Amino acid sequence: MDGVLVHEGRMIPGADAFVARLREKGTPFLVLTNNSIYTPRDLQFRLRSSGIEVPEEAIWTSALATAAFLADQRPGGSAYVIGEAGLTTALHDIGYVLTDNAPDYVVLGETRTYSFTAVTTAIRLIRAGARFVATNPDSTGPSAEGVLPATGAVAALMTRASGVEPYFVGKPNPLMMRAALNRLQAHSESTVMIGDRMDTDVVAGLEAGMRTVLVLTGIMRAEDIDRFPYRPSRVVTSIADLVDEV
């Protein structure tokens, strides 16, 4: 979503036409984001406010993917959560109890107000035996003022203090991509991943067996592509370049 459809809350020119064309032709699609702060309904509103109309059910977040993973691994479990409504709502919806009393999991997500007390509690719970899961490995996120520390950066702190590595559910984990394909009832060979990051979007699509398109409206510059040992199937300036190909 970020860097492909919108940038700092503003629509990237052509994104509305691209999504409208998908909906007009009945082409199944999902809007993916590693950001676990918002619920799909929140994101639908934010996209609509920028001028892009996306159905709520067509939004797939790392919070939803994490909840689906936990529901499969340990149904009806419990978790101590560091995160916002997008994550806590997703866990409530699968019947999880949120607690700091001997939880099955510590779940780390995105938030703009990381609490030293909460992080300390989480570290102690992990050291006491709670399983450590994080919604995504992104170390930084964008803002109007510059980069912000994100889930991956805080996870590194917690790993150093607890001695336990988290299991990251979001991109580039193919688990999130396979879950998305299942929601679409689609096959990887007939699906395309469009993203703005080589280290999450492109590698996730590649490892899930999809064709990949890198757009240059996000954080990745054209001169950075060759630093990676893999390449996207295609590079375009913007999603606007794809409208006529839907």
Coordinates of all heavy atoms in Angstrom, one line a residue, residues 131-209:
R131 N 6.4 -17.6 23.8 CA 6.9 -17.6 22.5 C 6.9 -16.2 21.9 O 5.9 -15.5 22.1 CB 6.1 -18.6 21.6 CG 6.0 -20.0 22.2 CD 4.8 -20.7 21.8 NE 4.7 -22.0 22.5 CZ 4.1 -22.2 23.7 NH1 3.6 -21.1 24.3 NH2 4.1 -23.4 24.2
F132 N 7.9 -15.9 21.1 CA 8.0 -14.5 20.6 C 7.7 -14.4 19.1 O 8.3 -15.0 18.3 CB 9.5 -14.1 20.8 CG 9.8 -12.6 20.5 CD1 8.8 -11.7 20.4 CD2 11.1 -12.2 20.5 CE1 9.1 -10.3 20.1 CE2 11.5 -10.9 20.2 CZ 10.4 -10.0 20.0
V133 N 6.7 -13.6 18.8 CA 6.2 -13.4 17.4 C 6.1 -11.9 17.2 O 5.7 -11.1 18.0 CB 4.8 -14.1 17.2 CG1 4.2 -13.6 15.9 CG2 4.9 -15.6 17.3
A134 N 6.6 -11.5 16.0 CA 6.5 -10.1 15.5 C 5.7 -10.0 14.2 O 5.8 -10.9 13.4 CB 7.9 -9.5 15.4
T135 N 5.0 -9.0 14.1 CA 4.2 -8.8 12.8 C 5.0 -8.7 11.6 O 4.6 -9.1 10.5 CB 3.2 -7.7 13.0 OG1 3.9 -6.5 13.2 CG2 2.2 -7.9 14.1
N136 N 6.1 -8.0 11.7 CA 7.0 -7.8 10.5 C 8.4 -7.4 10.9 O 8.6 -6.9 12.0 CB 6.3 -6.7 9.6 CG 6.4 -5.3 10.2 OD1 7.4 -4.6 10.1 ND2 5.4 -4.9 10.9
P137 N 9.3 -7.6 9.9 CA 10.7 -7.3 10.2 C 11.2 -5.9 9.8 O 12.4 -5.6 10.0 CB 11.5 -8.3 9.4 CG 10.6 -8.5 8.2 CD 9.2 -8.3 8.7
D138 N 10.3 -5.0 9.4 CA 10.7 -3.7 8.9 C 11.4 -3.0 10.0 O 10.8 -2.7 11.1 CB 9.5 -2.9 8.4 CG 8.9 -3.5 7.2 OD1 9.4 -4.5 6.7 OD2 7.8 -3.0 6.8
S139 N 12.7 -2.5 9.8 CA 13.4 -1.8 10.9 C 13.1 -0.3 10.9 O 13.2 0.3 12.0 CB 14.9 -2.0 10.7 OG 15.3 -1.5 9.4
T140 N 12.6 0.2 9.8 CA 12.2 1.6 9.8 C 10.9 1.8 9.0 O 10.5 1.0 8.2 CB 13.3 2.5 9.2 OG1 13.5 2.1 7.8 CG2 14.6 2.4 9.9
G141 N 10.2 2.9 9.3 CA 9.0 3.3 8.6 C 9.1 4.7 8.2 O 9.9 5.5 8.8
P142 N 8.3 5.2 7.2 CA 8.4 6.5 6.7 C 7.5 7.5 7.6 O 6.6 7.1 8.2 CB 7.8 6.4 5.3 CG 6.8 5.3 5.4 CD 7.4 4.3 6.4
S143 N 7.9 8.8 7.6 CA 7.1 9.8 8.1 C 7.5 11.1 7.4 O 8.5 11.2 6.7 CB 7.3 10.0 9.6 OG 8.5 10.7 9.9
A144 N 6.6 12.1 7.6 CA 6.9 13.4 7.0 C 8.2 14.0 7.4 O 8.9 14.8 6.7 CB 5.8 14.4 7.2
E145 N 8.6 13.7 8.7 CA 9.9 14.2 9.2 C 11.1 13.4 8.9 O 12.2 13.8 9.2 CB 9.7 14.3 10.8 CG 8.7 15.3 11.2 CD 7.3 14.8 11.1 OE1 7.1 13.5 11.2 OE2 6.4 15.6 10.9
G146 N 10.9 12.2 8.4 CA 12.0 11.2 8.1 C 11.7 9.8 8.6 O 10.5 9.6 9.0
V147 N 12.7 9.0 8.7 CA 12.4 7.6 9.1 C 12.1 7.5 10.5 O 12.6 8.3 11.4 CB 13.6 6.7 8.7 CG1 13.9 6.6 7.2 CG2 14.9 7.1 9.5
L148 N 11.3 6.5 10.9 CA 11.0 6.2 12.3 C 11.4 4.7 12.6 O 11.3 3.9 11.7 CB 9.4 6.3 12.5 CG 8.8 7.6 12.3 CD1 7.3 7.4 12.3 CD2 9.2 8.6 13.4
P149 N 11.8 4.5 13.8 CA 12.1 3.1 14.2 C 10.8 2.3 14.1 O 9.8 2.7 14.6 CB 12.7 3.2 15.6 CG 12.2 4.5 16.1 CD 12.1 5.4 14.9
A150 N 10.9 1.1 13.5 CA 9.7 0.2 13.4 C 9.9 -1.1 14.1 O 10.8 -1.3 14.9 CB 9.4 0.0 11.9
T151 N 9.0 -2.0 13.8 CA 8.9 -3.3 14.6 C 10.2 -4.0 14.6 O 10.6 -4.5 15.7 CB 7.8 -4.2 14.0 OG1 6.6 -3.5 13.9 CG2 7.6 -5.4 14.8
G152 N 10.9 -4.1 13.5 CA 12.1 -4.9 13.4 C 13.2 -4.3 14.3 O 14.0 -5.1 14.9
A153 N 13.2 -3.0 14.5 CA 14.2 -2.4 15.3 C 14.0 -2.7 16.8 O 14.9 -3.0 17.6 CB 14.3 -0.8 15.1
V154 N 12.7 -2.6 17.2 CA 12.3 -2.9 18.6 C 12.5 -4.4 18.8 O 12.9 -4.8 19.9 CB 10.9 -2.4 18.9 CG1 10.5 -2.8 20.3 CG2 10.8 -0.9 18.6
A155 N 12.2 -5.2 17.8 CA 12.4 -6.7 18.0 C 13.9 -7.0 18.2 O 14.2 -7.9 19.0 CB 11.9 -7.4 16.8
A156 N 14.8 -6.2 17.6 CA 16.2 -6.5 17.8 C 16.6 -6.1 19.2 O 17.4 -6.9 19.8 CB 17.0 -5.6 16.8
L157 N 16.1 -5.1 19.8 CA 16.3 -4.7 21.2 C 15.9 -5.8 22.1 O 16.6 -6.3 23.0 CB 15.6 -3.4 21.5 CG 15.7 -2.8 22.9 CD1 15.5 -1.3 22.8 CD2 14.8 -3.4 23.9
M158 N 14.6 -6.3 21.8 CA 14.1 -7.4 22.7 C 14.8 -8.7 22.6 O 15.0 -9.4 23.5 CB 12.6 -7.5 22.4 CG 11.8 -6.3 22.8 SD 10.1 -6.4 22.1 CE 9.4 -7.8 22.9
T159 N 15.3 -9.0 21.3 CA 16.1 -10.2 21.1 C 17.4 -10.1 21.9 O 17.8 -11.1 22.5 CB 16.4 -10.4 19.6 OG1 15.1 -10.7 19.0 CG2 17.4 -11.5 19.4
R160 N 18.0 -9.0 21.8 CA 19.3 -8.8 22.5 C 19.2 -9.0 24.0 O 20.0 -9.6 24.7 CB 19.9 -7.4 22.2 CG 21.3 -7.2 22.7 CD 22.3 -8.1 22.0 NE 23.7 -7.8 22.5 CZ 24.5 -7.0 21.9 NH1 24.1 -6.3 20.8 NH2 25.7 -6.9 22.3
A161 N 18.0 -8.5 24.6 CA 17.8 -8.6 26.0 C 17.3 -9.9 26.5 O 17.5 -10.4 27.6 CB 16.8 -7.5 26.4
S162 N 16.5 -10.6 25.6 CA 15.9 -11.9 26.0 C 16.7 -13.1 25.5 O 16.6 -14.2 26.1 CB 14.5 -12.0 25.4 OG 14.5 -12.1 24.0
G163 N 17.5 -12.9 24.5 CA 18.2 -14.1 23.9 C 17.4 -14.9 23.0 O 17.8 -16.0 22.6
V164 N 16.2 -14.4 22.6 CA 15.2 -15.2 21.8 C 14.9 -14.4 20.5 O 14.5 -13.2 20.6 CB 13.9 -15.5 22.6 CG1 12.9 -16.2 21.7 CG2 14.2 -16.3 23.8
E165 N 15.0 -15.0 19.4 CA 14.7 -14.4 18.1 C 13.2 -14.6 17.9 O 12.6 -15.6 18.1 CB 15.4 -15.1 16.9 CG 16.9 -14.9 17.0 CD 17.4 -13.7 16.2 OE1 16.5 -13.0 15.6 OE2 18.6 -13.4 16.3
P166 N 12.5 -13.5 17.3 CA 11.1 -13.6 17.0 C 10.8 -14.4 15.7 O 11.7 -14.5 14.9 CB 10.6 -12.2 16.9 CG 11.8 -11.5 16.4 CD 13.0 -12.2 17.0
Y167 N 9.6 -14.9 15.6 CA 9.2 -15.4 14.3 C 8.4 -14.2 13.6 O 7.4 -13.8 14.2 CB 8.3 -16.6 14.4 CG 7.8 -17.1 13.1 CD1 8.7 -17.8 12.3 CD2 6.5 -17.0 12.7 CE1 8.2 -18.3 11.0 CE2 6.0 -17.4 11.5 CZ 6.9 -18.1 10.6 OH 6.5 -18.6 9.4
F168 N 8.9 -13.7 12.5 CA 8.3 -12.6 11.8 C 7.3 -13.2 10.8 O 7.6 -14.0 9.9 CB 9.3 -11.8 11.0 CG 10.3 -11.1 11.9 CD1 11.6 -11.4 12.0 CD2 9.8 -9.9 12.6 CE1 12.5 -10.7 12.8 CE2 10.7 -9.2 13.4 CZ 12.0 -9.6 13.5
V169 N 6.0 -12.7 10.9 CA 4.9 -13.3 10.1 C 4.8 -12.5 8.7 O 4.6 -13.1 7.7 CB 3.6 -13.2 10.8 CG1 2.5 -13.7 9.9 CG2 3.7 -14.1 12.1
G170 N 5.0 -11.2 8.8 CA 4.7 -10.4 7.6 C 5.8 -10.5 6.5 O 6.8 -11.2 6.7
K171 N 5.6 -9.7 5.5 CA 6.6 -9.7 4.4 C 8.0 -9.5 4.9 O 8.2 -8.6 5.8 CB 6.2 -8.6 3.4 CG 4.9 -8.7 2.7 CD 4.6 -7.5 1.8 CE 4.6 -6.2 2.6 NZ 4.3 -5.0 1.7
P172 N 9.0 -10.2 4.4 CA 9.0 -11.1 3.2 C 8.7 -12.5 3.5 O 8.9 -13.4 2.6 CB 10.4 -11.0 2.7 CG 11.2 -10.8 3.9 CD 10.4 -10.0 4.9
N173 N 8.1 -12.9 4.7 CA 7.8 -14.3 4.9 C 6.8 -14.8 3.9 O 5.7 -14.2 3.8 CB 7.2 -14.4 6.3 CG 7.0 -15.8 6.8 OD1 7.0 -16.7 6.0 ND2 6.9 -16.0 8.1
P174 N 7.1 -15.8 3.2 CA 6.1 -16.4 2.2 C 4.8 -16.8 2.8 O 3.8 -16.9 2.1 CB 6.8 -17.6 1.6 CG 8.3 -17.3 1.8 CD 8.4 -16.6 3.1
L175 N 4.8 -17.0 4.1 CA 3.5 -17.4 4.8 C 2.5 -16.3 4.6 O 1.3 -16.6 4.3 CB 3.8 -17.5 6.3 CG 2.6 -17.9 7.2 CD1 2.2 -19.3 7.0 CD2 2.9 -17.6 8.7
M176 N 2.8 -15.0 4.7 CA 1.8 -14.0 4.5 C 1.4 -14.0 3.0 O 0.2 -13.7 2.8 CB 2.4 -12.6 4.8 CG 1.4 -11.4 4.7 SD 2.1 -9.9 5.3 CE 0.8 -8.8 5.0
M177 N 2.3 -14.3 2.1 CA 1.9 -14.3 0.7 C 1.0 -15.5 0.4 O 0.0 -15.4 -0.4 CB 3.2 -14.3 -0.2 CG 4.2 -13.3 0.2 SD 3.4 -11.6 0.2 CE 2.9 -11.5 -1.5
R178 N 1.3 -16.6 1.0 CA 0.4 -17.8 0.7 C -0.9 -17.6 1.3 O -1.9 -18.0 0.7 CB 1.1 -19.1 1.3 CG 2.3 -19.6 0.5 CD 2.6 -21.0 0.8 NE 3.1 -21.1 2.2 CZ 4.4 -21.0 2.5 NH1 5.3 -20.7 1.6 NH2 4.8 -21.1 3.8
A179 N -1.0 -17.0 2.5 CA -2.3 -16.7 3.0 C -3.1 -15.7 2.2 O -4.3 -15.9 2.0 CB -2.1 -16.1 4.4
A180 N -2.4 -14.8 1.6 CA -3.1 -13.8 0.7 C -3.6 -14.5 -0.6 O -4.7 -14.3 -1.0 CB -2.1 -12.7 0.3
L181 N -2.8 -15.4 -1.1 CA -3.2 -16.2 -2.3 C -4.4 -17.0 -2.0 O -5.3 -17.2 -2.8 CB -2.0 -17.1 -2.8 CG -0.9 -16.3 -3.5 CD1 0.3 -17.3 -3.7 CD2 -1.3 -15.8 -4.9
N182 N -4.4 -17.6 -0.8 CA -5.6 -18.4 -0.4 C -6.8 -17.6 -0.3 O -7.9 -18.0 -0.7 CB -5.3 -19.1 0.9 CG -4.3 -20.2 0.8 OD1 -4.1 -20.8 -0.3 ND2 -3.6 -20.6 1.9
R183 N -6.7 -16.4 0.2 CA -7.8 -15.5 0.3 C -8.4 -15.1 -1.0 O -9.6 -15.0 -1.2 CB -7.5 -14.2 1.1 CG -7.4 -14.4 2.6 CD -6.9 -13.1 3.3 NE -7.8 -12.0 3.1 CZ -8.8 -11.7 4.0 NH1 -8.9 -12.5 5.1 NH2 -9.5 -10.7 3.8
L184 N -7.5 -15.0 -2.0 CA -7.9 -14.7 -3.4 C -8.3 -15.9 -4.2 O -8.9 -15.8 -5.3 CB -6.7 -14.0 -4.1 CG -6.3 -12.6 -3.7 CD1 -5.0 -12.2 -4.5 CD2 -7.4 -11.6 -4.1
Q185 N -8.0 -17.1 -3.6 CA -8.3 -18.3 -4.3 C -7.5 -18.3 -5.7 O -8.1 -18.7 -6.7 CB -9.8 -18.6 -4.5 CG -10.5 -18.8 -3.2 CD -12.0 -19.2 -3.4 OE1 -12.6 -18.6 -4.3 NE2 -12.5 -20.1 -2.6
A186 N -6.3 -17.8 -5.6 CA -5.5 -17.6 -6.8 C -4.2 -18.5 -6.7 O -3.9 -19.0 -5.7 CB -5.0 -16.2 -6.9
H187 N -3.6 -18.7 -7.9 CA -2.4 -19.5 -8.0 C -1.3 -18.5 -8.2 O -1.4 -17.5 -8.9 CB -2.5 -20.5 -9.2 CG -1.4 -21.5 -9.2 ND1 -0.1 -21.2 -9.6 CD2 -1.4 -22.8 -8.7 CE1 0.6 -22.3 -9.5 NE2 -0.1 -23.3 -8.9
S188 N -0.1 -18.8 -7.7 CA 1.0 -17.9 -7.8 C 1.4 -17.6 -9.2 O 1.9 -16.5 -9.6 CB 2.2 -18.5 -7.0 OG 2.6 -19.8 -7.6
E189 N 1.2 -18.6 -10.1 CA 1.7 -18.4 -11.5 C 0.8 -17.4 -12.2 O 1.2 -16.9 -13.3 CB 1.6 -19.8 -12.2 CG 2.7 -20.7 -11.8 CD 2.7 -22.0 -12.5 OE1 1.9 -22.2 -13.4 OE2 3.5 -22.9 -12.2
S190 N -0.4 -17.1 -11.7 CA -1.3 -16.2 -12.4 C -1.4 -14.9 -11.6 O -2.4 -14.1 -11.8 CB -2.6 -16.8 -12.7 OG -3.2 -17.2 -11.4
T191 N -0.5 -14.7 -10.6 CA -0.6 -13.5 -9.7 C 0.6 -12.7 -9.8 O 1.7 -13.2 -10.0 CB -0.8 -14.0 -8.3 OG1 -1.9 -14.9 -8.2 CG2 -1.1 -12.9 -7.3
V192 N 0.5 -11.4 -9.7 CA 1.6 -10.4 -9.7 C 1.7 -9.7 -8.4 O 0.6 -9.3 -7.9 CB 1.4 -9.4 -10.9 CG1 2.6 -8.4 -10.9 CG2 1.4 -10.2 -12.2
M193 N 2.9 -9.5 -7.9 CA 3.1 -8.7 -6.7 C 3.7 -7.4 -7.1 O 4.7 -7.4 -7.8 CB 4.1 -9.5 -5.7 CG 4.5 -8.7 -4.5 SD 3.2 -8.3 -3.4 CE 4.1 -7.7 -2.0
I194 N 3.0 -6.3 -6.7 CA 3.5 -5.0 -7.0 C 3.9 -4.3 -5.7 O 3.1 -4.2 -4.8 CB 2.4 -4.1 -7.7 CG1 1.9 -4.8 -9.0 CG2 2.9 -2.7 -8.1 CD1 0.7 -4.2 -9.6
G195 N 5.2 -3.9 -5.7 CA 5.6 -3.3 -4.4 C 6.7 -2.2 -4.7 O 7.2 -2.0 -5.8
D196 N 7.1 -1.5 -3.6 CA 8.1 -0.5 -3.7 C 9.4 -0.8 -3.0 O 10.3 0.0 -3.0 CB 7.6 0.8 -3.2 CG 7.5 0.9 -1.7 OD1 7.0 -0.1 -1.1 OD2 8.0 1.8 -1.1
R197 N 9.5 -2.0 -2.4 CA 10.7 -2.4 -1.7 C 11.3 -3.7 -2.2 O 10.5 -4.7 -2.3 CB 10.4 -2.6 -0.2 CG 9.9 -1.3 0.5 CD 9.7 -1.5 2.0 NE 10.9 -1.9 2.7 CZ 11.3 -1.3 3.8 NH1 10.6 -0.4 4.4 NH2 12.5 -1.7 4.4
M198 N 12.5 -3.7 -2.4 CA 13.2 -5.0 -2.9 C 13.3 -6.0 -1.7 O 13.2 -7.2 -1.9 CB 14.6 -4.6 -3.4 CG 14.7 -3.9 -4.7 SD 14.2 -4.9 -6.1 CE 15.6 -6.0 -6.2
D199 N 13.5 -5.5 -0.5 CA 13.8 -6.4 0.6 C 12.6 -7.0 1.3 O 12.7 -7.9 2.1 CB 14.6 -5.6 1.7 CG 14.0 -4.4 2.2 OD1 13.0 -3.9 1.5 OD2 14.4 -3.9 3.2
T200 N 11.4 -6.5 0.9 CA 10.2 -7.1 1.4 C 9.3 -7.6 0.3 O 9.0 -8.7 0.1 CB 9.5 -6.2 2.4 OG1 9.2 -4.9 1.7 CG2 10.3 -6.0 3.7
D201 N 8.8 -6.6 -0.5 CA 7.8 -6.9 -1.5 C 8.3 -7.8 -2.6 O 7.7 -8.9 -2.9 CB 7.3 -5.6 -2.2 CG 6.7 -4.6 -1.2 OD1 6.1 -5.1 -0.2 OD2 6.9 -3.4 -1.3
V202 N 9.4 -7.4 -3.2 CA 9.9 -8.2 -4.3 C 10.4 -9.6 -3.9 O 10.1 -10.6 -4.6 CB 11.1 -7.5 -5.1 CG1 11.8 -8.4 -6.1 CG2 10.5 -6.2 -5.7
V203 N 11.2 -9.7 -2.8 CA 11.6 -11.0 -2.4 C 10.5 -11.9 -1.9 O 10.5 -13.1 -2.1 CB 12.7 -10.9 -1.3 CG1 12.1 -10.4 0.0 CG2 13.5 -12.2 -1.1
A204 N 9.4 -11.3 -1.3 CA 8.3 -12.1 -0.9 C 7.5 -12.6 -2.1 O 7.2 -13.8 -2.1 CB 7.3 -11.2 -0.1
G205 N 7.3 -11.8 -3.1 CA 6.7 -12.3 -4.3 C 7.5 -13.4 -5.0 O 7.0 -14.4 -5.5
L206 N 8.8 -13.1 -5.1 CA 9.7 -14.1 -5.7 C 9.7 -15.4 -5.0 O 9.5 -16.5 -5.7 CB 11.2 -13.5 -5.7 CG 12.3 -14.4 -6.3 CD1 12.2 -14.5 -7.8 CD2 13.6 -13.8 -5.9
E207 N 9.8 -15.4 -3.7 CA 9.8 -16.7 -3.0 C 8.4 -17.4 -3.0 O 8.4 -18.6 -2.7 CB 10.3 -16.4 -1.5 CG 11.7 -16.0 -1.5 CD 12.2 -15.8 -0.1 OE1 11.4 -15.9 0.9 OE2 13.5 -15.6 0.1
A208 N 7.4 -16.6 -3.2 CA 6.1 -17.3 -3.3 C 5.7 -17.7 -4.7 O 4.6 -18.2 -5.0 CB 5.0 -16.3 -2.8
G209 N 6.7 -17.5 -5.7 CA 6.5 -18.0 -7.0 C 5.7 -17.0 -7.9 O 5.3 -17.5 -9.0

